[in-house]
Amino acid sequence: MSMKKFLSLAAALFIAFAANATIRPITPTHCFEGDRTDGYTLYVELARGAQAGDTIVLADGEYAEGQSIPVNVPVVIMAAEGAHPVVKMSGYFQVHASVKAEGIKFQFVGATGNGYCFYLYENTPKYLAIEGCEFQDFTQYCVSSWEAYHIDSCIVNNCYFHDLAKAPFYFAASSLENNVNACDNLTVTNSTFANITLADVAVLDLRNNNSSTAATSKLRVDHCTFYNCKGYERMIQSYKSPDVLVSNCIMMNPLAEGEEATIYATYLYGGDVKNCLWFQTKRVYTKKEGGAVDNLNVDPLFVDAANANYTLAATSPAIGAGTDGSNLGDPRWWPAVAMRTLYLAPMQGWFNDQARFAIYTIDDQKWYDMSLATGETAIYSVEIPEAITQVIFCRMNGGAAENNWTNKWNQTQDMTIEADKNMCTITDWNAGVWSVYGAPYVPQHEDGYYLVGKFGTNEIWSVSDDKKMALNTEAEGVEYTIQITLVEGDELKVVKSENDAVTWYPATGGNYVIDANHAGEKTVYFRPNADGGEGWFSGYIYVPENVADGIDNTAVKATVVKTIENGQLIIIKNGVRYNAQGAELR
């Protein structure tokens, strides 16, 4: 479930009583109406002040809650923006009404006590929504209806449950009347469960009443990671409930050498298990015939699970194995994917007002839709993973929703992606050269000359406004300048932009490379189309050196231009070429 969908659902759960909501900010030493408590701040706020629909906002810090906290009215309990409050509990929340908790770490610190976090009371419909929270060190269930009270929905997203003595959830139905569920809807997404002792029930355990007509509750588990959850026969269990979908999850228990797996990854009364990975557990199981599909029994290759790092290694089989092509498990552990942008300049019959373009990647056999690049009217762009090395640019036939080869109108050949190039140009296929990959993309800019290249650790090979050169009105002839700091090893080029067409100097050969004697804060000069022809790249870059160059040109009016050709500094005076030491070159 996406964050947007979760928030929409959570908002719907509370909209009925939030019309007169009040924001109630508190701090770790919060007092209620002058009554100093030196702690127990949530207890004070909820027991004495909170009204139905209020939002209690916790500032940063640790909240020492030494007694159980009543929740008698529907409330939201959340972290302040940018804050990471920790609620250290010796008691538990006595839940008599709907609650949403967001952005808080709950930790049990009592040497004795009940060891629950949210303990559900009263057989009345209510909701529990938990977003972005962490639960640690609880000795009993984090969320429990142990007294068999009913709850309409429990919605959990982006949470981390770890180092627990019992399962995070337990909804018991054995004491309820026939046809009454303990929980109608348990939905858990994008969450992690690690190092949990399962003394009595599964990590996620949804139990209906034994009545055969009570099988109406729903269990949804998606993109969750389970690691080292032992002590009970199952990790995920549904009893008397066939409406179950477990998808895109990783379920692993580390085993000692010679130890056999004794715990089912899933044990479902019915429903589906799709695109999950299980390792060192018993298989995924559902009583629904054909309900377990596209599941893997392989090592997920966590980076360092023993030290609570469940990030997927780059070679993990869980990468890209999801139902939607995403990775498996909790997204917080997905490896960062470096992306790059590719561009397409379609010409001739490839382009019209109804044209739609896409890229097909040979490496992973996926389609990526292209869209007009920012500020462009006929150049398209797409972001793809940087690891992709082979692509095909395609024009698609009309506006069909699905990219496939039957929907393709034209295509380029299989092209190899190069690190410093990103543009494919469609030219004249009648002449035998109908697609060219290799030019760097240059966005539309004002006509003029721009300095590009590698400046220290920054590589700027596309035109940017802060590198536009200014016309030097004091120079003899046409000359452009720019102020810039250079270091040894910097590589320079100049780009001319004219009517959205670009020309590179040098057009061929290497870049202009700065040596130590020309580094520092400099005015870089550029003279376009000087005498010398294409062998001189139709332009010269002049970088003043740091000491006298040995060529005195003060007595006569002559054009002296310094450039670098194949790494060697060249000086041109009155059409004669000299090296940096003043020796004439022939």
Side-chain angles (χ1 to χ4, degrees), residues 527-540 559 561 563 572 574-577:
R527 288 177 175 258
N529 302 318
D531 292 339
E534 283 298 323
W536 286 87
F537 310 119
S538 298
Y540 307 98
T559 299
V561 178
T563 186
I572 306 169
N574 294 330
V576 180
R577 300 193 302 168

Side-chain angles (χ1 to χ4, degrees), residues 24 26-33 35-51 56 58 62-73 75 77 87-94 96 106:
R24 307 177 72 92
I26 64 172
T27 66
T29 57
H30 174 73
C31 301
F32 181 73
E33 294 181 354
D35 179 13
R36 185 164 184 80
T37 64
D38 293 320
Y40 300 0
T41 58
L42 270 174
Y43 171 82
V44 169
E45 194 65 31
L46 284 164
R48 303 188 190 183
Q51 303 296 314
I56 301 172
L58 281 64
E62 294 186 352
Y63 294 75
E65 301 294 333
Q67 63 191 80
S68 293
I69 304 168
V71 182
N72 297 315
V73 294
V75 292
I77 307 170
V87 177
K88 295 197 168 184
M89 306 177 64
S90 296
Y92 56 89
F93 290 94
Q94 299 172 342
H96 296 266
F106 299 99

